[in-house]
Every structure is written in C-alpha cells, then in structure tokens.
Amino acid sequence: SNSFRQYQQHRIRQHMLPLPLISIQDCIIFFFFCMVISSLWLQLLPGEHLAIVGPSGSGKTSLLLALQNKLHYHGKITMHANTEPLVFVGQIHQFKNKSNTADFYYQQRYHAIDAADSMTAQEWIGTDTHSIRHAMPGIDDLLEKPLVQLSNGEHKKIQLAKALTAQPKMLLLDQPIIGLDTASRKWLHQKLQGLAASGITIVLATASTEMPACITHVLQLHHDGSHQFTTKANWHATLKD
C-alpha cells in the first residue's frame, strides 16, 4: 500500500494532475459481513473511466454500492464534489404496476391484463417528453409503451434515459450489457462513448469480454479479495501474457 501511495503522489506531482474524482484508501468491503474486497487503493482522475471486472461474487456490485455509501466498508472513500449528481443504473430493472401491488422484472413474461395496469415508459421516467428527448434522443417510439412489453434492450434505453434526465456528472452502471442483443450492445457501446466524450465519468461493472472503448482503467477483482488496478492498455497486455 505504501508503494501505491507513493506512485499516486508521484503521478499527481509529475503531471500536475487535478484532484481525483474518486479516492479509495485501504478499503475493505463487506457483503453480508463477508469480506469481498481487501485493502483496495484506487484513484480515478478527471477524464478517466473505470471498468470493474471479475468473476461472479468477487465484489463488483458491492463496490458500486460502497461508492454510493450503501454498503458497509472499512477504510476511506472520498467522492469529489464534481461527481454530483451521481446516478446508479442497476442490472435488474424492477418496477411496480399502476396499482402498486406487484413488482415486475423486465425478464418476466406478462399477461395482457398486466399491460393494462403497467406504467408506460414515460410515466416511469417521470418527466416531460421534451426533457426526455433532450437527455436521450431517439426513443420517442418507446415512451408510450407499457414497461412490461419492452425488450431487454429497450428497458436499458429507458433506464439510461431516466438516469440522464438527472444530468449526472458520474454514471455507475452494473452489468449494463448483460442480456442485450448484438444491435443493443453496439448501441450501448456507442452511447457510453458519447457520454464519456461529453464529460460524464463512466464507472461500470462488466464482463471482461465487454470492454467499452471509453474505458481508460480496469479494476480486476478476484474471489480471494485480491485485485489489480491498472490502465486498460496494461490490462489487455496482461491478458495476452
């Protein structure tokens, strides 16, 4: 950890870099009282974008929750003021019907009666059409559809549209590419690239085989709590070794 601190201090001094947007110092992250990530040191600077990869159960979602202060951890996590608003887009899209009596997931099959009682996409986003179009152009045809009738890819677009109406400076995304068909995956990769270029910081948990072009740094997690934090270029080189 001392060598990591010295490296980060050298990195900031050498390039006169700004203060980090995310600073994680000697963090131990727990899930249901079990340690999933041990002694994590990490800094993400303005203009950098992070992918969190690792096997199922290695702590990817737990870290995203800890960054929102929604999960127990020891150590120090500092989020710079320039990360607010920070918006989380979860892996599973869960929603209630208009009667507020049942939870639905986008994977569920539905009956015709469910569609009549389902919120439309626009009702779920909760704002006017103009604001949605400004945040997320090109989804007008989805806004009047009942949520239970949308495909996985359409649900991801609606989730992202709602997130973007908050005008976030940082997006945390949990496995956003899972369950999407080829066209939807291509669309999402391009969308993330555009958001990163617009100045929004991207932090996402993803599979190692789905690495958006905008990503600059990778945190590789392992089942034993260990991890490696490096540039995407170095991470790719390690995979080839």
Side-chain angles (χ1 to χ4, degrees), residues 135-186:
M136 185 86 153
I139 63 166
D140 285 24
D141 58 328
L142 302 181
L143 296 181
E144 296 306 316
K145 284 188 175 182
L147 288 173
V148 292
Q149 291 183 355
L150 299 181
S151 69
N152 288 1
E154 289 170 338
H155 267 280
K156 193 56 63 179
K157 289 180 180 181
I158 293 302
Q159 280 184 283
L160 202 51
K162 183 167 186 171
L164 293 176
T165 59
Q167 299 181 312
K169 292 185 178 178
M170 178 176 287
L171 273 177
L172 305 181
L173 302 108
D174 190 7
Q175 302 279 11
I177 299 164
I178 280 185
L180 302 186
D181 60 25
T182 301
S184 295
R185 286 203 306 272
K186 181 179 179 181

Side-chain angles (χ1 to χ4, degrees), residues 102-121:
D103 286 334
F104 290 88
Y105 294 90
Y106 62 71
Q107 298 98 330
Q108 284 183 327
R109 295 185 178 277
Y110 64 90
H111 303 289
I113 192 170
D114 293 332
D117 195 31
S118 171
M119 288 184 181
T120 65

